[in-house]
Amino acid sequence: MYDTIIIGAGMSGLAAGIRLAMFDQRVCVLERHTTIGGLNSFYRLRGRDYDVGLHALTNITPKGTKKGPLAKLLRQLRMSWDDFAISSQLGSKIIFPGVQLRFDNDIALLRSEVKNEFPDQVDNFDRLISEIADFDDLGSDEQHISARVRVAEIISDPLLVEMLFCPLMFYGSAREQDMDWGQFSIMFRSIFLEGLGRPHAGVRLILKQLVRKYRELGGELKLRAGVKEIVVDGGHATGVILESGEQLEARRVLSSAGWNETMRLCDDGQPVTLRQSGRLSFCETIASLDLQPQELGHRATVTFFNDSNKFQWSVPEGPCDVRSGVICSPNNFAYDEALDLGTMRITALANFDYWHGLDQRQYQLEKLRWYERITASAVRFVPDYRSRVLDTDMFTPQTIVRFTGHDNGAVYGAPEKQLNGCTHLPNLFICGTDQGFVGIIGSILSGISMANQHCLRD
Amino acid sequence: MTDAAIREVVLGILESIAPDEDLTQLDDAINFRDQLELDSMDFLDIVMELRKRHRVQIPEDDYVNLASMNSTVAYLTPMMKDIEKV
Ligand SMILES: Cc1cc2nc3c(=O)[nH]c(=O)nc-3n(C[C@H](O)[C@H](O)[C@H](O)COP(=O)(O)OP(=O)(O)OC[C@H]3O[C@@H](n4cnc5c(N)ncnc54)[C@H](O)[C@@H]3O)c2cc1C
């Protein structure tokens, strides 16, 4: 009998596991896959190391900072800032037709760019910052109001509004065309007021540290252990049945599989309360180069681009939407030592239904075709690196489903979040993407706070 | 345990919660919240560590007593005075 069973060895499940093992619970993390990491894992292909998702960690504050999500997370996991060895970004850009805004981990740069490009908006921009700095994430009634409405009340130039939404939506909006004001504030802080960074070794370092800590504390981790069913008896979860048929008992279950996905696992015969699933998914191209991007004159860490004045954050009608995208070079962080290999990654919105419906041969062909199109679109905004490519890879919404089991390959989960983590059963809780916090830092915090709130206090 | 020993226990817990913090300068009269930026998550950790290390149970309504070192030691004294120092 376990105290807590955790479904999923992604960031949120592992973080929750650490908290519980720390206080001597019998805890077991069950992962369907052969490897940990979920949405943000790593792999080796043709002799080269790749990260699945990682562009950058958000919420990066300098060592010694006591406030903010990163500091909180390190304290809660009893880790030191040096365990993640994070290097700051060199500087990023938002590019729209005829105007570009640079930003780095000091908000002063973005402010001065706004002042240069949108002189009559700089006071409004200051006002936006102070409203966001004061916004209380959990205590406010304004949590769910439309960010588009709220921001338009403060910033009167529609182009600047679009340019601010573009990066925040790409890095964390489960909702099409709009965000909740609460989520907008959280993302604004984590990207513009705090900042971006990356460990030299990428996401594998973070995962390795999480698993090492979890194991040291006596936590159990089972891979290739997909949960087929959450056993419900008398209105309580009593354990799980694995795909192998093995049955495990637990006093409570914490699931990072997603809201709908978790509801479907419950065998209590109740019609499950499904929600609208998220629909926003990505294709991502990865190119390994025979030189460092800086040798081509490319110094930006992340480049968010949009080729018209209006940014569309919605499911594309075609396979991918190449009008906008995110270009990231993992090389362009302030490391002590350069990465061995030059890399360029591009993220574009993609249509799950299209990619899901292809047969194997078509899928391979379409991957090649859209790799070309996405790259051709991106090199309008960064130096053309196509003649320096050694190897490429690409993933689609279909890949995301395979690795995470999330419906529709929805990167940021369902638009409606379950902030308190509660379900219809008193001892079944959810954490991770569908609880509310997204991204790597966000999902780690989600695991921590759901473990604290629901699994430690008895 | 004496008051001094209880203080050592609490200090040990703070050290493990905030490893990057210099606790030699801690002022026993000032709130942890203000000095160390501790938040409700950290207070839960103090409670959980006391339970784990010394089997002391603190009900949620009593968390307010853990505001500063002085108030924490005063609150814990009746509960911990019979515990042997380890
Ligand atoms: C292309 C891409 C780029 C990204 N880039 C960044 C970035 O640069 N920075 C950033 O901060 N974030 C980024 N993210 C987002 C980040 O990866 C996620 O927000 C985060 O990893 C979510 O973690 P999670 O624990 O909530 O969920 P998941 O990682 O999805 O974990 C859920 C786990 O549960 C397992 N599971 C599901 N069902 C079952 C079952 N029935 N039984 C057993 N196990 C099950 C899954 O296999 C999975 O391992 C990116 C995401 C993508 C897709």
Side-chain angles (χ1 to χ4, degrees):
Chain A
M1 166 79 95
Y2 291 103
D3 293 307
T4 307
I5 278 179
I6 298 173
I7 304 178
M11 301 285 171
S12 63
L14 289 171
I18 290 175
R19 288 293 297 166
L20 301 181
M22 188 177 286
F23 299 111
D24 298 336
Q25 283 202 9
R26 281 207 65 202
V27 46
C28 185
V29 174
L30 301 171
E31 170 56 52
R32 177 197 285 147
H33 253 272
T34 51
T35 175
I36 57 169
L39 205 47
N40 231 315
S41 194
F42 54 88
Y43 57 99
R44 241 180 123 72
L45 182 72
R46 296 184 283 274
R48 297 192 176 88
D49 286 333
Y50 291 91
D51 282 345
V52 176
L54 180 69
H55 285 181
L57 295 176
T58 57
N59 302 93
I60 300 311
T61 41
K63 185 173 178 172
T65 306
K66 293 179 189 177
K67 273 197 177 146
L70 180 63
K72 197 181 279 194
L73 173 164
L74 292 173
R75 278 217 295 269
Q76 286 280 301
L77 299 179
R78 311 273 168 91
M79 288 183 169
S80 130
W81 201 92
D82 296 323
D83 288 336
F84 287 167
I86 300 161
S87 302
S88 304
Q89 64 169 328
L90 296 182
S92 296
K93 287 177 183 175
I94 310 163
I95 309 182
F96 274 54
V99 36
Q100 117 178 9
L101 296 173
R102 291 177 302 144
F103 68 93
D104 61 13
N105 291 2
D106 180 351
I107 186 68
L109 174 60
L110 181 58
R111 188 182 180 279
S112 80
E113 294 276 297
V114 169
K115 194 172 172 192
N116 290 335
E117 300 292 336
F118 300 92
D120 58 336
Q121 295 295 323
V122 69
D123 294 339
N124 295 341
F125 185 70
D126 287 340
R127 203 148 60 81
L128 179 70
I129 291 178
S130 73
E131 289 224 3
I132 286 169
D134 293 342
F135 183 77
D136 174 4
D137 300 345
L138 300 173
S140 169
D141 310 333
E142 294 201 323
Q143 179 75 29
H144 294 298
I145 65 173
S146 156
R148 284 222 170 251
V149 171
R150 192 75 200 88
V151 173
E153 284 165 5
I154 302 170
I155 306 260
S156 56
D157 189 317
L159 180 58
L160 178 57
V161 172
E162 296 301 314
M163 292 183 80
L164 294 174
F165 267 98
C166 170
L168 306 191
M169 286 178 146
F170 259 116
Y171 275 1
S173 176
R175 174 155 291 163
E176 292 182 65
Q177 302 296 15
D178 201 352
M179 298 171 85
D180 290 349
W181 170 242
Q183 179 66 3
F184 180 90
S185 300
I186 290 173
M187 294 307 301
F188 192 100
R189 267 183 238 160
S190 50
I191 293 171
F192 294 139
L193 298 182
E194 291 162 357
L196 304 178
R198 185 181 182 278
H200 189 268
V203 82
R204 67 199 67 212
L205 178 75
I206 299 168
L207 287 168
K208 221 173 72 186
Q209 295 287 19
L210 291 176
V211 168
R212 185 183 54 85
K213 187 98 201 183
Y214 177 63
R215 289 231 166 91
E216 267 172 22
L217 292 165
E220 260 182 76
L221 168 65
K222 291 187 202 275
L223 299 174
R224 288 192 198 84
V227 172
K228 192 171 66 184
E229 202 171 302
I230 296 170
V231 184
V232 181
D233 189 13
H236 280 70
T238 58
V240 300
I241 301 175
L242 302 184
E243 273 151 18
S244 64
E246 191 185 348
Q247 187 151 357
L248 301 170
E249 290 182 356
R251 292 170 51 228
R252 66 179 88 71
V253 176
L254 178 62
S255 170
S256 68
W259 176 268
N260 286 344
E261 297 81 346
T262 302
M263 290 300 120
R264 285 197 301 260
L265 292 173
C266 294
D267 79 335
D268 54 355
Q270 307 263 358
V272 293
T273 36
L274 293 188
R275 301 196 164 152
Q276 192 199 349
S277 289
R279 288 162 27 91
L280 292 161
S281 194
F282 293 153
C283 275
E284 173 122 339
T285 68
I286 307 169
S288 302
L289 311 184
D290 66 355
L291 78 182
Q292 300 278 324
Q294 292 191 36
E295 296 173 59
L296 290 171
H298 178 61
R299 267 184 67 83
T301 308
V302 187
T303 306
F304 299 89
F305 70 85
N306 189 63
D307 67 8
S308 72
N309 285 350
K310 176 85 183 143
F311 174 59
Q312 299 294 345
W313 184 246
S314 56
V315 178
E317 282 167 21
C320 293
D321 186 344
V322 299
R323 296 172 297 176
S324 64
V326 186
I327 308 161
C328 173
S329 170
N331 304 83
N332 291 344
F333 289 84
Y335 306 121
D336 293 334
E337 217 178 290
L339 298 184
D340 289 343
L341 199 66
T343 304
M344 298 291 288
R345 316 179 59 111
I346 311 164
T347 309
L349 281 164
N351 180 318
F352 169 78
D353 290 334
Y354 175 81
W355 291 96
H356 184 64
L358 299 173
D359 67 31
Q360 193 54 33
R361 206 185 60 91
Q362 282 173 319
Y363 181 74
Q364 294 305 337
L365 279 174
E366 289 301 284
K367 262 174 76 165
L368 291 175
R369 190 198 310 267
W370 285 93
Y371 175 91
E372 294 298 334
R373 291 194 184 166
I374 291 171
T375 310
S377 174
V379 296
R380 296 179 291 163
F381 304 93
V382 293
D384 192 342
Y385 56 82
R386 285 178 290 187
S387 61
R388 313 306 303 247
V389 173
L390 294 175
D391 197 4
T392 67
D393 195 22
M394 168 158 172
F395 73 80
T396 73
Q398 188 67 4
T399 324
I400 299 178
V401 174
R402 185 147 29 89
F403 278 93
T404 68
H406 290 315
D407 289 355
N408 301 337
V411 172
Y412 300 122
E416 191 192 338
K417 301 298 181 193
Q418 186 68 20
L419 293 176
N420 66 12
C422 295
T423 67
H424 63 305
L425 301 178
N427 63 341
L428 171 66
F429 307 99
I430 66 156
C431 67
T433 309
D434 279 353
Q435 181 266 323
F437 301 131
V438 299
I440 294 171
I441 300 293
S443 52
I444 292 176
L445 267 182
S446 165
I448 291 171
S449 61
M450 290 303 105
N452 287 353
Q453 271 178 48
H454 300 301
C455 310
L456 274 179
R457 295 170 190 242
D458 60 4
Chain B
M1 249 187 237
T2 61
D3 282 8
I6 295 174
R7 186 181 184 280
E8 282 307 306
V9 165
V10 178
L11 209 56
I13 291 175
L14 292 175
E15 263 163 25
S16 55
I17 296 176
D20 292 333
E21 202 71 51
D22 175 15
L23 294 168
T24 55
Q25 306 295 316
L26 190 77
D27 184 331
D28 288 8
I30 298 181
N31 281 351
F32 294 139
R33 197 176 280 277
D34 300 331
Q35 273 186 98
L36 307 174
E37 303 275 359
L38 298 195
D39 63 13
S40 57
M41 282 186 169
D42 301 310
F43 285 100
L44 175 68
D45 275 49
I46 298 177
V47 171
M48 295 300 297
E49 287 293 341
L50 283 165
R51 180 162 113 184
K52 176 168 151 183
R53 298 182 191 189
H54 300 284
R55 306 270 153 237
V56 179
Q57 295 277 7
I58 302 175
E60 220 164 312
D61 291 345
D62 287 0
Y63 288 14
V64 286
N65 295 303
L66 309 178
S68 68
M69 182 61 93
N70 285 340
S71 72
T72 305
V73 173
Y75 171 75
L76 291 174
T77 302
M79 304 166 95
M80 294 181 70
K81 65 177 191 312
D82 298 331
I83 299 176
E84 291 286 325
K85 194 178 167 197
V86 278

